[in-house]
Amino acid sequence: MIRKLLVFIRLPLITIFWLIACNVQAHNGQNHQVQGEDERLNSALHWLELSQSADGVVVNSADIATDFQSTAEALSIFSLLNSATANKTAALSTLQKPPQSLTTEGLARLIIALNENQQPISTQQAELLSRQGTDGGFGQFSGYDSTAFDTSFTLLSLQKINADTLIASNVLGFLSSKQLSDGSFALYDDHGSVIVTAMVLKAIRPYLFTFNISDMLSRSIEFLYSSQNADGHWGSDWETAIVLQALIPVTTDVSRYELALDFLKGNQSVDGDWGQQVYTTSLAATVLSMLASVDVPTDPEKAVVAGRVTDAANGSAIPNIVIDVLGVSTETVTIQPDGSFIVSNLDPGSYVLAYSAAGYLGVSQNVTLQKGQFVNVGTINLSIAPTAALVKGVITDSQTSEPVASATISVIIAGQASSTTADTNGVYQILVEAGQALIEVSAASYHSVTVSVDLVAGTQVQFSPSLLLSSEEPPSSSTLFGTVIDEQGQLIAGATVKITDGATTTTDINGRFEFTDLTPKEVVVTVSKNGYESVSFGLVIPERANANVGNITLREQLILPSTSISGRVIDMVSGNGVEAASVVVGGLSTTTDTNGFYQITDIPTLEFIVSVNAAGYLFTNKQVSLAEHTDLNLDINIRQADLGGVNIAAVTTDKTVYGAYDSVIITTTVQNDTTLNQGARLYVNVKDSDDNEVASFSGAFLPPLDPMSDLEELAHYQEHLAATIEEFAPGEQRVIKLEQWWNTLIVEPGDYSVTVQALDGITSNIVSERSVLVTIEPTRAASLDMKLSPGYVLLNKSAEIEIFAEIFNRSNIATLIEFDYALLDPSDQILTQGHEQINLTADQINHRLELLIFPHTFSASGHYQLEVSNITGVEVKDLITDSVFVPPSIRLRARQSLNPNEVVPLEGVTVKSNIEIEGVDGE
């Protein structure tokens, strides 16, 4: 036992957990905010790759850890940084030992490695779970005393494979019982360990929003900070790396561990390693990777400017942006693919920032910066230059209508060619100079398509040819075709389609039209039909190819006794429709659909104000004055309320249409638009089409607060409130499935806007919000439980039988339930039957109805079954029927036999006596 104890104490001091696999970003070769981080990571990875032996083990003679531990840590780094040189399969094979022979730490490491390499883990998982003790914790092996060390290792590995749900509560209870008064956790006895505490901190952090662990977590953090030495680190390189892995994700105050970072980075050798140790180098490389998403200023005296540059027409990123601080040459500029940028290394003072890109009008901006200040200048929109034009479209296959990815689009003007390629959806766009141009589209295995067009400065041109396989003969001329539909997607026959050269046709019974024998040119297509609004659009007909314009939607033309207004609410920057926006005209209101469209009819006045309010946008009014009543089309542009910081980029629900008592599961995409860590609480508001609030709740679970709570209880509740804060790393975008959801219960059918709000974690101010529209459909549903009383009667006895129904109504509208019922005897003969009609309102949730009481003498034993049939009016979720049981009256009948029944005299023979007892119905 003494030998075991010595070995066990050594393991955690040199090994602590696989933290490197959690909550870090994969190395992508980009230069991050921390100066030189990529270079450090690359050199560390290269050194680890060179340390791998032919048999797969990754180890060096100077290592303080075992071969198993060093290889496991290195393998995680190879996976994390997407190493193309390391032999991950060979490394994994060295870890695959019989699960029963591994310690809990080793077994957890193996599970992580198998999962990272998409290998089965069921056997290892079963062995690990079998080691849980009655106290909820885990020991080194099955039957050993539980420790915080082994328990945390177990929890971390099960989190990795999403198998921690069932054990989390008991595990957290065990860990809570093991926390010492100073906030630390020990390996044995009461001696707090920095390493074990760091491991526990990492393991419990994911449960901040589901369990009451905020106090345990914060005390652990403070213990780790209090354990720093005078130089700001925690002793050796590997110890410092382990603690940093635990602390970086849970705090925004990077200054608290900045000295430790400097210490760790300063100890990296020119070869990329730390002390020639695989284990330590792997841990330190993990810290460097984590810093890719954390803003650690290299000079606190300098200021930082951040923002995003986009195309003013569609909000998309612009390639080859140039950002210049006029009169300054020492600034550092980092630009991401989405157009977001950071300008750092700026001294206090006033500056002019210039933004430019080829083909766009440049803009400039004045900023005044203070020492150490972070300034987010928001979105900078660049417009197409008056001398430039934008060519865009979708390239498809002429036979299948599927997109042709990687097609090459070239625009040739005055002998100069500009080219781009279509993406996986066949979509492309290219910015070129204005003038007479030749547009050519080519792709492997397809005939190329060309067209001549006059590109007008400052405008956009759509060119979307359908390509023909090169194995097929191209047509002698061009064809233009498409389909006309109404707003419900129904095909419209007999619609008139005209093009500018005078050609006219009508749609067939399938809504399809076609123009043949066309020459390449620019045309305007007009589609019309009586009773519908006409549609016109411009396009370019390709040369000897097909142009599929897709579906053309015609809106029905209303006969108006008053004014009708319709249109689209549009994001001013992106040009996209804004869903769930509230549009109000006087006492009339509506909500925009998923594409931003709205319609309000029966407006009695000729002068009115159209008011638009949408989550995350500035309130907008439009004054309308009419000479006579008409059908008015009005698109309304609205501007986002850019408060900076955390931005709700998108909100989605698991479905778009729900019934009564459905759970609306909400997912939101949250973007941190700054270079600082940000905290936000997520809240949900649900409103009906009249803008009345029907539900409001926290996105993360919060326990109810007793109004009579004392000060201590109120302080405790504040800890729960703090646990709802979501932390976002710089530039991080995260998809969050909210812990709480909206249950539709019995809300009336109709459209409802579900709005997710981001509240600043410190001030609780709303900094961003966005909505999604859901529809509640009329629902008639119920569970029907048919009962009999009494349920037990003796044979040949009489009883009054009561038949009644318990209805669990799950409808959101008034409901009429009808059904037939019958009570059958054991021989299936009808004893009684009936027909019922039950009217229920939506708020009659649980309803009990007595159907019949009648006397009956039960002359036969068995089950008297109640049956229900011909149910109408509702969807039956559950149907339960009852019975009366009549037991038989029993008498016993005995039979006796001997075997054998004859024997030879004087022979020693065994004779068996068989007695059979049978229960039969009595009289």
Side-chain angles (χ1 to χ4, degrees):
M1 183 63 185
I2 293 176
R3 181 176 178 272
K4 168 188 175 291
L5 179 62
L6 291 174
V7 172
F8 188 48
I9 289 176
R10 178 179 180 269
L11 286 174
L13 293 178
I14 63 172
T15 60
I16 285 306
F17 61 119
W18 51 273
L19 295 167
I20 58 178
C22 298
N23 295 307
V24 293
Q25 296 181 356
H27 174 59
N28 58 13
Q30 300 297 316
N31 192 12
H32 301 292
Q33 286 289 55
V34 184
Q35 183 66 32
E37 227 65 281
D38 276 359
E39 182 180 351
R40 295 179 186 276
L41 269 173
N42 290 333
S43 61
L45 176 61
H46 182 61
W47 185 86
L48 289 170
E49 291 168 340
L50 293 176
S51 299
Q52 186 173 27
S53 304
D55 60 359
V57 174
V58 189
V59 68
N60 201 44
S61 58
D63 263 310
I64 59 171
T66 67
D67 291 359
F68 186 101
Q69 295 156 349
S70 296
T71 302
E73 292 289 354
L75 180 56
S76 287
I77 282 292
F78 293 154
S79 298
L80 179 68
L81 302 184
N82 299 318
S83 172
T85 303
N87 190 337
K88 289 180 278 190
T89 302
L92 179 61
S93 67
T94 68
L95 305 179
Q96 291 183 289
K97 304 180 185 302
Q100 295 82 0
S101 68
L102 293 172
T103 65
T104 294
E105 174 205 348
L107 188 54
R109 286 185 180 277
L110 176 57
I111 289 173
I112 297 304
L114 290 170
N115 182 72
E116 289 176 341
N117 290 274
Q118 294 81 48
Q119 298 297 314
I121 46 84
S122 56
T123 302
Q124 293 79 7
Q125 178 183 343
E127 171 59 22
L128 186 60
L129 289 172
S130 72
R131 298 185 181 185
Q132 187 171 25
T134 57
D135 58 1
F138 290 76
Q140 188 182 19
F141 288 98
S142 181
Y144 279 55
D145 290 341
S146 299
T147 68
F149 173 79
D150 292 296
T151 300
S152 297
F153 245 121
T154 299
L155 192 56
L156 287 163
S157 65
L158 294 177
Q159 290 168 2
K160 187 71 173 177
I161 60 174
N162 297 317
D164 59 308
T165 303
L166 295 179
I167 69 162
S169 179
N170 289 337
V171 167
L172 292 173
F174 167 77
L175 291 174
S176 178
S177 70
K178 292 299 179 181
Q179 188 170 32
L180 303 180
S181 59
D182 61 357
S184 67
F185 290 85
L187 182 58
Y188 288 117
D189 301 324
D190 293 329
H191 303 291
S193 165
V194 167
I195 301 303
V196 176
T197 303
M199 183 173 67
V200 172
L201 173 61
K202 188 69 175 180
I204 67 174
R205 188 175 55 82
Y207 305 104
L208 183 61
F209 309 117
T210 52
F211 293 94
N212 181 23
I213 61 165
S214 58
D215 181 63
M216 179 166 57
L217 188 144
S218 61
R219 291 172 59 209
S220 300
I221 294 172
E222 291 309 313
F223 169 81
L224 291 176
Y225 283 129
S226 68
S227 301
Q228 288 175 284
N229 59 28
D231 295 327
H233 55 84
W234 288 271
S236 65
D237 292 339
W238 65 266
E239 289 173 306
T240 298
I242 286 170
V243 178
L244 284 173
Q245 290 173 9
L247 288 177
I248 288 174
V250 298
T251 182
T252 60
D253 188 0
V254 297
S255 65
R256 300 190 71 179
Y257 53 75
E258 195 167 358
L259 289 176
L261 288 174
D262 293 338
F263 166 81
L264 189 64
K265 290 187 287 188
N267 288 341
Q268 186 179 19
S269 77
V270 294
D271 294 328
D273 65 280
W274 275 264
Q276 291 288 298
Q277 297 168 3
V278 169
Y279 183 77
T280 303
T281 301
S282 299
L283 293 174
T286 301
V287 174
L288 296 180
S289 184
M290 294 175 76
L291 293 177
S293 59
V294 176
D295 178 31
V296 183
T298 55
D299 187 347
E301 299 294 311
K302 302 291 186 178
V304 175
V305 176
R308 186 167 181 255
V309 180
T310 63
D311 187 314
N314 54 27
S316 61
I318 300 174
N320 303 318
I321 305 168
V322 176
I323 301 175
D324 185 30
V325 183
L326 301 183
V328 178
S329 59
T330 58
E331 80 275 14
T332 300
V333 180
T334 302
I335 304 173
Q336 300 298 328
D338 66 350
S340 60
F341 65 87
I342 296 172
V343 181
S344 57
N345 199 36
L346 295 172
D347 291 315
S350 296
Y351 297 91
V352 176
L353 274 69
Y355 310 94
S356 60
Y360 287 83
L361 291 175
V363 299
S364 61
Q365 187 177 45
N366 296 314
V367 294
T368 300
L369 304 175
Q370 306 297 323
K371 181 176 67 174
Q373 186 179 14
F374 170 82
V375 175
N376 189 333
V377 296
T379 301
I380 310 300
N381 293 315
L382 299 186
S383 300
I384 299 174
T387 57
L390 184 67
V391 180
K392 65 179 183 178
V394 181
I395 311 301
T396 57
D397 183 294
S398 64
Q399 299 299 320
T400 66
S401 296
E402 294 294 319
V404 178
S406 301
T408 300
I409 299 90
S410 299
V411 181
I412 304 171
I413 301 176
Q416 299 295 317
S418 301
S419 299
T420 189
T421 55
D423 64 16
T424 55
N425 296 314
V427 176
Y428 77 92
Q429 73 173 32
I430 182 171
L431 193 70
V432 296
E433 295 293 324
Q436 193 66 35
L438 183 69
I439 305 175
E440 181 179 29
V441 178
S442 60
S445 303
Y446 288 92
H447 287 290
S448 61
V449 175
T450 59
V451 67
S452 178
V453 62
D454 184 18
L455 298 178
V456 179
T459 64
Q460 297 184 7
V461 172
Q462 295 193 26
F463 184 51
S464 302
S466 296
L467 302 185
L468 189 69
L469 289 171
S470 55
S471 59
E472 300 181 18
E473 183 65 25
S476 58
S477 59
S478 299
T479 299
L480 174 68
F481 60 92
T483 304
V484 180
I485 61 175
D486 64 17
E487 290 178 287
Q488 287 71 47
Q490 300 298 314
L491 302 172
I492 298 179
T496 300
V497 186
K498 298 177 65 175
I499 56 178
T500 48
D501 64 357
T504 302
T505 188
T506 57
T507 57
D508 60 20
I509 59 174
N510 296 313
R512 194 175 187 277
F513 68 88
E514 181 177 273
F515 292 96
T516 58
D517 298 327
L518 299 176
T519 56
K521 57 185 172 182
E522 296 178 72
V523 298
V524 175
V525 180
T526 303
V527 183
S528 61
K529 185 178 180 178
N530 289 337
Y532 293 87
E533 298 177 2
S534 298
V535 170
S536 296
F537 56 92
L539 57 80
V540 177
I541 298 175
E543 181 179 6
R544 299 184 65 189
N546 298 327
N548 182 357
V549 297
N551 291 333
I552 303 171
T553 302
L554 296 185
R555 296 180 56 195
E556 187 174 356
Q557 200 169 44
L558 300 178
I559 300 174
L560 300 173
S562 57
T563 291
S564 172
I565 182 170
S566 60
R568 196 172 182 221
V569 177
I570 301 171
D571 184 302
M572 186 177 294
V573 176
S574 69
N576 298 324
V578 179
E579 69 172 310
S582 174
V583 184
V584 179
V585 176
L588 305 173
S589 64
T590 188
T591 303
T592 58
D593 65 13
T594 54
N595 295 310
F597 290 102
Y598 73 93
Q599 182 178 33
I600 296 178
T601 60
D602 300 326
I603 302 172
T605 60
L606 294 175
E607 293 190 0
F608 52 87
I609 295 175
V610 184
S611 301
V612 179
N613 193 18
Y617 291 83
L618 299 177
F619 180 79
T620 301
N621 277 339
K622 288 290 183 182
Q623 179 76 40
V624 177
S625 296
L626 302 174
E628 60 183 10
H629 287 298
T630 184
D631 182 8
L632 177 66
N633 183 267
L634 179 65
D635 291 341
I636 303 172
N637 292 314
I638 60 176
R639 186 186 300 277
Q640 288 193 23
D642 185 8
L643 302 181
V646 173
N647 174 44
I648 303 293
V651 177
T652 59
T653 53
D654 58 321
K655 297 186 294 184
T656 57
V657 180
Y658 297 86
Y661 293 93
D662 269 355
S663 295
V664 180
I665 309 302
I666 305 164
T667 301
T668 181
T669 302
V670 184
Q671 171 75 43
N672 179 4
D673 292 330
T674 75
T675 55
L676 300 176
N677 288 319
Q678 296 285 350
R681 294 187 179 95
L682 301 180
Y683 282 87
V684 179
N685 285 302
V686 182
K687 294 184 178 181
D688 61 18
S689 57
D690 293 326
D691 211 32
N692 298 315
E693 185 177 287
V694 298
S696 181
F697 51 90
S698 169
F701 173 75
L702 276 175
L705 179 62
D706 186 350
M708 304 303 293
S709 299
D710 57 26
L711 291 177
E712 183 178 353
E713 290 170 332
L714 288 173
H716 186 64
Y717 184 80
Q718 289 299 319
E719 295 170 2
H720 283 289
L721 191 61
T724 66
I725 297 178
E726 294 276 1
E727 299 292 342
F728 299 92
E732 177 187 4
Q733 185 180 77
R734 189 190 314 160
V735 177
I736 301 173
K737 185 177 181 179
L738 300 190
E739 295 173 10
Q740 300 202 96
W741 53 87
W742 175 43
N743 193 303
T744 62
L745 298 177
I746 58 172
V747 297
E748 295 181 356
D751 292 333
Y752 291 81
S753 61
V754 179
T755 302
V756 177
Q757 300 174 330
L759 279 66
D760 182 82
I762 299 175
T763 66
S764 293
N765 294 332
I766 296 178
V767 296
S768 181
E769 57 182 350
R770 193 168 291 270
S771 300
V772 65
L773 196 68
V774 299
T775 300
I776 309 302
E777 61 184 358
T779 306
R780 290 185 175 93
S783 297
L784 185 60
D785 190 354
M786 300 294 293
K787 296 282 192 179
L788 286 169
S789 179
Y792 179 92
V793 180
L794 294 176
L795 186 64
N796 297 320
K797 298 294 184 182
S798 295
E800 282 200 339
I801 301 301
E802 179 186 5
I803 303 176
F804 61 95
E806 289 185 349
I807 302 171
F808 303 95
N809 187 17
R810 293 297 178 264
S811 307
N812 56 17
I813 56 177
T815 302
L816 172 63
I817 304 174
E818 292 191 60
F819 58 88
D820 296 324
Y821 67 92
L823 180 61
L824 308 180
D825 67 12
S827 61
D828 291 336
Q829 298 300 309
I830 297 175
L831 296 183
T832 186
Q833 60 185 343
H835 177 81
E836 285 297 329
Q837 292 184 346
I838 306 171
N839 286 292
L840 294 176
T841 61
D843 57 359
Q844 288 180 286
I845 298 172
N846 298 324
H847 186 72
R848 186 184 189 278
L849 178 67
E850 183 181 285
L851 302 179
L852 181 65
I853 298 178
F854 71 99
H856 184 70
T857 300
F858 292 86
S859 58
S861 62
H863 287 276
Y864 290 71
Q865 187 67 44
L866 184 62
E867 292 189 350
V868 179
S869 60
N870 302 323
I871 303 174
T872 61
V874 297
E875 176 189 358
V876 178
K877 300 291 188 181
D878 293 292
L879 174 62
I880 302 173
T881 57
D882 204 356
S883 65
V884 177
F885 177 61
V886 179
S889 177
I890 302 298
R891 63 180 175 84
L892 301 178
R893 180 169 62 196
R895 296 186 184 92
Q896 183 176 6
S897 63
L898 297 175
N899 185 25
N901 56 15
E902 293 183 3
V903 297
V904 177
L906 303 179
E907 290 289 334
V909 177
T910 300
V911 179
K912 293 183 178 180
S913 177
N914 297 319
I915 300 175
E916 296 181 358
I917 299 175
E918 180 183 8
V920 297
D921 281 353
E923 297 178 356

